[in-house]
Amino acid sequence: MTVITRVRGDITEQHVDAVVNAANSSLLGGGGVDGAIHRRGGPEILAACRELRAAHLGGGLPTGQAVATTAGRLPARWVIHTVGPVHSTTEDRSALLASCYRESLRIAAELGARTVALPAISTGVYRWPLADAARIALAASRAAAASGAFTELRFVLFDDRAYRAFDPAQPTAPDAPPAG
């Protein structure tokens, strides 16, 4: 049985099989979660990302897709990089955000990862509203948990506001009131 949990903390300090990285499409590092993972994980992650770019991702990783690399110096085996969508008030991009979680967890299952640390994808500089992001993330995580491939899916959240929004006890149905 999979447990969906949440902690307030630093995703780079999680002792798990796989860490999901809210990456940018270049895969070459950036700010926020992406920058922290690249800094703490060391040059091995960047080298693996460069290899992916040279092999088959020359144009970068498309939004909503995911790819795995070594975790370098992180206390995990793999980093699964995914590119979240920028929030828009004029276009519904929620399917892309859900795809980030689905694809990341599909890859984690293929790798045999039993424990996975996940960030609040797209809620930083991409401005996705926390309550809506949490609803989408929790729904996708519950669907992946039903596969039985995982023992724990752990949301690692940077501040109290995000921690409250990502309460696994919150409903995630599309017509449910937003979490938070």
Side-chain angles (χ1 to χ4, degrees):
M1 182 171 117
T2 304
V3 177
I4 298 175
T5 62
R6 65 186 167 148
V7 298
R8 186 172 183 271
D10 182 343
I11 199 163
T12 68
E13 296 176 354
Q14 302 304 304
H15 291 263
V16 292
D17 295 326
V19 170
V20 173
N21 179 20
N24 64 51
S25 64
S26 77
L27 295 178
L28 302 179
V33 169
D34 191 26
I37 285 173
H38 275 270
R39 280 189 302 277
R40 175 96 190 266
E44 298 88 351
I45 295 173
L46 182 58
C49 287
R50 284 188 172 138
E51 286 178 25
L52 287 169
R53 291 290 307 263
H56 66 280
L57 292 174
L61 184 64
T63 301
Q65 297 301 305
V67 65
T69 67
T70 179
R73 299 175 190 155
L74 295 175
R77 292 184 64 193
W78 301 284
V79 172
I80 300 171
H81 308 266
T82 189
V83 180
V86 174
H87 183 262
S88 171
T89 56
T90 59
E91 179 185 349
D92 182 6
R93 298 177 180 167
S94 56
L96 285 170
L97 183 56
S99 180
C100 290
Y101 289 101
R102 276 194 316 274
E103 289 299 304
S104 294
L105 293 171
R106 179 186 63 77
I107 289 173
E110 288 175 1
L111 291 169
R114 304 284 292 153
T115 55
V116 182
L118 304 119
I121 298 168
S122 288
T123 62
V125 296
Y126 289 178
R127 303 178 318 276
W128 205 284
L130 268 173
D132 192 47
R135 178 187 60 79
I136 292 166
L138 288 165
S141 297
R142 285 189 179 116
S147 72
F150 307 104
T151 55
E152 181 185 13
L153 300 177
R154 181 186 313 158
F155 285 95
V156 182
L157 306 155
F158 189 71
D159 61 26
D160 288 333
R161 214 171 114 243
Y163 182 83
R164 286 190 303 272
F166 277 75
D167 182 352
Q170 293 293 327
T172 58
D175 58 348

